[in-house]
Amino acid sequence: MQSLINVSNRLPVIVADTITPSAGGLVSALEGFHADYDFQWIGWAGATEDDPEMRKRISRELQERFGYTPLFLSQEDVSDFYTGFSNSSLWPLLHYLPSYARFNRRWFDAYINVNGAFAQTVAGRVRTGNVIWIHDYHLMLLPGLLREQRPDLKIGFFFHTPFPSYEIFRCHPNRRELLEGLLGADLIGFHTSDYVRHFRSTVQRVLGLTSEINTIIAESHTVSIGVYPISIPSEKFEAEMESEAYRSHLNDYRRIYEGKKIVLNVERLDYTKGVPRRLDAIERFLIDSGRRDVVFIFISVPSRESVAAYRDLRRDIESKVSKINGELSTIENAPIHFIHQAVEFSQLCALYSLADAAMVTPLIDGMNLVAKEYVICRQNNDGVLILSEFAGAAQELPQAIIVNPYNIEQMAHAIRQALEMPAQEREKRMASMRRRVQRYNAQRWARSFIEDLTSIPEAQRRPAIALSLSPEMLAPLLSQERWALFLDYDGTLAELRRDPDEAYPDPALADLFEALQKRPNLEVYVISGRTRQDMGRWLGDFDFHLVAEHGFYFKHRNAREWVQFESHVDLSWKERVADILVHYADQTPGSFVEEKTASVAWHYRSADPEFGAWKAHQLVIELQEMLSNLPVEINHGSKIVEINSILINKGVLMQHMKTLNRYDRVLCAGDDVTDESMFRAAGERDISIKVGGGETAASYRVASPGALRRLLSNSLEI
Ligand code: GDG
């Protein structure tokens, strides 16, 4: 049996004098799933017990009765990590409500500490290669922390909330750390493709990483991202509806509500669930329709009452309920039956199967299981679901009456439509929704996530590009014979910066340069597309040959002056091309044109990534048509489109120097399309290294400039 460690903020138990299992979205979804896997669950026990003896006793009982491993949080952790960072900062932002979000540096410190404590506990319980499934926004740093300690684990992360658009997520002061933490996972799952799209665009914009439709290329590995709409354990509901308790509740409720229409509302009392606006719509319906035979039952489970916004919400709802009941009750009926507590499972099922309609109208909701639970309990295919278009569930249940929860008139009309819907239409809609929920249930959801996680190939869990060249291989080679090193600068020796002026050599790079200078059998050429001025300013003090503008200018290490490497170059096309690039720069905020002696380049690193890439694609097509008969080449590199003469490139210069100076061997390294000419020019005994991903003619790869620096430094030290 496969072993799986499930990690969530809360264990599904209530620890008081005795320990009882608790209800909730995730618990419901995973229940049917325990039997199939060797399943452990790690999480906070919900208690803030300080007494070590009591902690031991609780741990023992949780382990023995349920196979759970508890974590204990202090009162302060609960206030800063849980109430503060998780529920007052992340939750509102993930639900598109920045006006509810509060930020506090101390909360983030607590979040780091508690995620760290989770990492310790998990690391203490796992065996090599175990599969870890982490749930939800409380633990966004955990994948990264775990990966650092245990790269052998397969780590999945599932977001139960929505993931908002970049414009919202960017508000968070700790957006970078949160995303970097998450990307420690091998697979990140979301309820809908919209959330995936938002996540990708956020990661691209905040971290500048590359992303395909279902992957993100992180430095240490490739992260898969996918859509896994959570569902419910449908057989559990079907079984409950066979029970005696259910039948007895159903009979009671039938008697109590005889002659009345019932509209059911079930939720945690949360500002995302849209209760005040729903009450406005109910009031409008009651006034407009004049009906006094309808009861709106609200099962409103108390939630997060330590957060002020939830207390305010409760007050607001209670006052609306009493106003409506005060104004619209009759002797026979009070329209709103508001129950501010949880009911038993058998009672819930009885209510689901009795209610003529259910209203699920959150302002935003990751999925919403109540919608699916109502559907599964309609065994006769009767009943009507009114569902917010902002619930993830709306994508799977389009046969519901779909409403905009901000549109009071539309919701009021939907209630009327639901209560008056012809039986045939009701059945048709419900049957179709039931088929979906029966087929794609909680077990299917969990299984498809875990199957995808476990089948991620090992190669994907290493750096996107394998570090195939080690210092142990390179060091003995570099210690003998005469070598020339042709090293590109930006993106190869130094990380790409948004502002090219910031890419000057940092101390780590300067150390590498010092070490290279000390080796008499190595001659270094720093070979770049940059201008002579940039190169002279940053690299002039080192004992290196410098090559600027992709080979157009050359400065021997002992010379003071630059020379033009190729004197007869036709540059008549330059002005026309520059005009076009300026036009693109005007149309693409954040991009700019760089004009050099023998080339001209359009940089779009600081432009919006998707818009920039689209404009670059357009530009290349336009230039290809315009320049087809001219001796130029168009290089579309990493966030740059550069046009230069075909007579000049890095490969031509490298070949020339190699022959002229009779080096025994050459090592060349680069990250961009313009470096491919060197890789192609390299001979059999030479070493060519591509930095980063993408197609290449190079024979080796390293993941990043940092990896290349480490490779070279370590090879020189051995
Ligand atoms: C989060 C996301 C996502 C409610 N009242 C009673 C009761 N419940 C059960 C329901 C349902 C669960 O609680 C609520 O699940 P939801 O999905 O509606 O909402 P959240 O708690 O906000 O859950 C959500 C979910 O995670 C899963 O990924 O769908 O979008 O916000 O199962 O039946 N159960 C009992 N008595 C009650 O009074 N027994």
Side-chain angles (χ1 to χ4, degrees):
M1 206 187 241
Q2 190 156 30
S3 151
L4 167 64
I5 297 173
N6 199 57
V7 190
S8 65
N9 170 52
R10 281 293 300 269
L11 284 174
V13 288
I14 296 164
V15 177
D17 293 339
T18 56
I19 297 180
T20 37
S22 70
L26 177 58
V27 189
S28 311
L30 289 175
E31 256 166 24
F33 177 63
H34 288 221
D36 302 344
Y37 290 82
D38 170 17
F39 189 83
Q40 297 182 49
W41 196 323
I42 295 175
W44 172 38
T48 51
E49 184 57 67
D50 288 332
D51 175 17
E53 272 313 306
M54 277 302 281
R55 284 186 173 194
K56 254 194 222 150
R57 195 184 67 72
I58 294 171
S59 300
R60 201 177 320 116
E61 187 175 341
L62 283 170
Q63 193 67 58
E64 281 166 9
R65 276 181 61 193
F66 306 99
Y68 296 165
T69 301
L71 244 97
F72 292 90
L73 301 184
S74 68
Q75 199 57 54
E76 214 176 355
D77 287 336
V78 175
S79 147
D80 290 351
F81 153 78
Y82 181 66
T83 307
F85 197 84
S86 302
N87 287 338
S88 306
S89 186
L90 278 175
W91 174 269
L93 213 57
L94 291 168
H95 286 86
Y96 281 83
L97 295 165
S99 58
Y100 281 88
R102 304 284 172 270
F103 305 108
N104 180 329
R105 174 70 222 189
R106 200 186 65 231
W107 293 352
F108 187 52
D109 291 338
Y111 191 79
I112 297 173
N113 288 339
V114 173
N115 272 256
F118 269 85
Q120 290 294 330
T121 311
V122 176
R125 298 219 40 104
V126 287
R127 291 191 303 273
T128 307
N130 271 177
V131 176
I132 316 292
W133 191 1
I134 302 167
H135 295 268
D136 232 1
Y137 61 99
H138 314 88
L139 300 175
M140 285 170 77
L141 301 179
L142 183 56
L145 293 170
L146 266 183
R147 189 173 206 94
E148 245 172 58
Q149 295 183 32
R150 294 292 302 263
D152 60 296
L153 303 175
K154 271 207 168 158
I155 305 169
F157 186 98
F158 190 80
F159 259 107
H160 290 264
T161 63
F163 198 91
S165 89
Y166 161 69
E167 294 300 346
I168 297 285
F169 193 78
R170 72 192 296 201
C171 300
H172 204 290
N174 310 107
R175 58 202 177 178
R176 210 165 222 290
E177 295 94 322
L178 292 166
L179 293 173
E180 282 169 350
L182 268 177
L183 292 182
D186 293 291
L187 172 65
I188 305 177
F190 301 85
H191 292 304
T192 74
S193 57
D194 289 333
Y195 308 156
V196 168
R197 182 162 47 80
H198 295 155
F199 182 69
R200 286 185 57 219
S201 122
T202 303
V203 167
Q204 284 177 317
R205 284 166 174 75
V206 176
L207 300 180
L209 293 178
T210 313
S211 162
E212 301 294 331
I213 268 289
N214 59 353
T215 53
I216 290 168
I217 318 291
E219 190 171 316
S220 58
H221 65 296
T222 298
V223 185
S224 292
I225 43 184
V227 179
Y228 305 89
I230 198 170
S231 194
I232 56 166
S234 43
E235 330 73 62
K236 192 181 149 209
F237 284 83
E238 280 162 345
E240 186 64 30
M241 286 187 285
E242 301 290 321
S243 76
E244 197 39 56
Y246 162 84
R247 252 191 296 275
S248 137
H249 291 309
L250 188 58
N251 287 336
D252 288 350
Y253 301 156
R254 278 203 180 116
R255 213 176 33 251
I256 298 168
Y257 295 109
E258 202 183 345
K260 296 187 179 157
K261 293 281 181 193
I262 296 171
V263 180
L264 184 63
N265 303 259
V266 178
E267 58 236 323
R268 270 186 317 101
L269 197 63
D270 193 294
Y271 48 75
T272 59
K273 304 286 180 184
V275 177
R277 282 189 172 81
R278 198 181 318 145
L279 286 169
D280 289 345
I282 290 170
E283 184 179 24
R284 178 69 50 85
F285 159 79
L286 290 168
I287 293 169
D288 290 354
S289 70
R291 285 185 75 152
R292 296 296 177 264
D293 61 338
V294 187
V295 186
F296 292 85
I297 300 177
F298 280 77
I299 307 295
S300 233
V301 182
S303 178
R304 304 178 193 171
E305 295 194 316
S306 52
V307 179
Y310 286 73
R311 292 196 298 272
D312 294 348
L313 173 75
R314 180 178 169 179
R315 256 197 309 277
D316 184 22
I317 291 175
E318 281 171 352
S319 98
K320 271 185 194 289
V321 169
S322 25
K323 178 172 168 284
I324 297 172
N325 276 343
E327 287 172 3
L328 297 163
S329 289
T330 58
I331 298 289
E332 295 81 22
N333 191 31
I336 309 224
H337 192 166
F338 189 81
I339 302 158
H340 190 224
Q341 53 184 299
V343 296
E344 280 168 23
F345 185 55
S346 52
Q347 293 176 301
L348 187 68
C349 292
L351 287 169
Y352 280 144
S353 56
L354 183 72
D356 300 278
M359 287 189 87
V360 176
T361 65
L363 302 179
I364 176 96
D365 211 333
M367 171 54 69
N368 195 297
L369 297 176
V370 169
K372 295 187 173 182
E373 292 168 3
Y374 178 66
V375 164
I376 209 67
C377 290
R378 309 308 304 187
Q379 288 179 310
N380 299 325
N381 289 330
D382 53 359
V384 181
L385 175 64
I386 300 172
L387 180 58
S388 160
E389 65 182 82
F390 298 109
Q395 302 204 352
E396 284 176 273
L397 306 174
Q399 299 82 2
I401 300 180
I402 303 289
V403 293
N404 172 353
Y406 294 90
N407 187 338
I408 308 297
E409 280 75 24
Q410 190 197 25
M411 281 198 287
H413 177 74
I415 300 171
R416 197 170 193 155
Q417 191 190 347
L419 296 177
E420 292 169 7
M421 189 178 282
Q424 214 184 356
E425 183 181 348
R426 240 175 21 208
E427 277 165 31
K428 194 167 149 229
R429 288 178 184 237
M430 191 54 80
S432 158
M433 293 194 279
R434 276 175 57 75
R435 275 197 298 277
R436 165 75 197 178
V437 180
Q438 269 166 332
R439 196 179 62 246
Y440 194 89
N441 61 13
Q443 287 89 325
R444 281 282 296 274
W445 166 75
R447 204 162 292 137
S448 67
F449 184 90
I450 292 299
E451 271 172 18
D452 285 359
L453 177 59
T454 48
S455 57
I456 284 176
E458 272 308 307
Q460 188 180 316
R461 299 179 7 84
R462 292 195 294 273
I465 30 265
L467 287 158
S468 46
L469 192 60
S470 66
E472 290 70 26
M473 282 164 72
L474 192 55
L477 299 176
L478 288 183
S479 65
Q480 43 189 302
E481 302 185 280
R482 272 188 74 228
W483 283 82
L485 273 53
F486 287 83
L487 306 173
D488 168 52
Y489 188 75
D490 296 276
T492 300
L493 287 169
E495 273 76 12
L496 290 171
R497 306 266 177 221
R498 259 178 202 274
D499 179 357
D501 280 343
E502 283 179 5
Y504 48 81
D506 65 7
L509 187 51
D511 286 348
L512 170 64
F513 285 169
E514 298 283 346
L516 283 166
Q517 288 181 138
K518 286 191 191 134
R519 296 289 287 263
N521 68 326
L522 306 182
E523 273 185 44
V524 175
Y525 292 75
V526 181
I527 184 161
S528 165
R530 285 201 180 241
T531 60
R532 287 166 291 172
Q533 289 74 18
D534 277 354
M535 298 203 64
R537 183 155 46 107
W538 292 346
L539 304 164
D541 291 341
F542 295 98
D543 188 21
F544 297 156
H545 304 293
L546 301 182
V547 184
E549 296 200 24
H550 305 295
F552 191 76
Y553 288 112
F554 172 67
K555 190 172 94 60
H556 190 277
R557 61 182 180 177
N558 298 329
R560 309 197 68 189
E561 299 299 324
W562 288 84
V563 292
Q564 199 170 314
F565 176 62
E566 179 67 62
S567 46
H568 305 292
V569 183
D570 171 15
L571 297 174
S572 58
W573 47 269
K574 236 186 74 187
E575 205 172 316
R576 253 191 320 148
V577 171
D579 284 349
I580 295 180
L581 299 198
V582 168
H583 179 65
Y584 273 75
D586 288 345
Q587 289 181 333
T588 317
S591 72
F592 65 94
V593 176
E594 185 188 13
E595 211 171 319
K596 306 175 205 173
T597 317
S599 67
V600 50
W602 179 64
H603 296 262
Y604 61 96
R605 174 151 301 281
S606 299
D608 176 89
E610 277 143 17
F611 185 66
W614 178 65
K615 292 301 283 184
H617 182 67
Q618 258 188 352
L619 172 63
V620 170
I621 293 173
E622 193 173 333
L623 289 174
Q624 273 165 347
E625 277 173 23
M626 189 184 115
L627 303 174
S628 56
N629 295 322
L630 292 171
V632 296
E633 61 185 15
I634 303 163
N635 285 307
H636 187 179
S638 167
K639 311 278 184 186
I640 181 174
V641 176
E642 183 151 22
I643 299 90
N644 46 287
S645 163
I646 46 168
L647 296 178
I648 306 160
N649 64 41
K650 293 178 177 180
V652 170
L653 182 125
M654 185 178 96
Q655 193 58 53
H656 175 83
M657 293 299 171
K658 192 178 163 190
T659 316
L660 183 75
N661 298 308
R662 301 206 181 126
Y663 299 118
D664 297 320
R665 299 177 77 165
V666 159
L667 179 151
C668 54
D671 69 311
D672 212 342
V673 276
T674 60
D675 300 308
E676 292 293 318
S677 59
M678 293 196 288
F679 303 152
R680 284 192 297 270
E684 253 185 29
R685 299 189 69 239
D686 297 334
I687 290 180
S688 51
I689 308 172
K690 164 88 174 172
V691 180
E695 279 201 16
T696 184
S699 42
Y700 296 99
R701 281 182 196 270
V702 296
S704 61
L708 180 73
R709 289 196 301 265
R710 282 192 296 277
L711 173 67
L712 293 175
S713 307
N714 295 343
S715 304
L716 295 172
E717 272 167 21
I718 289 179

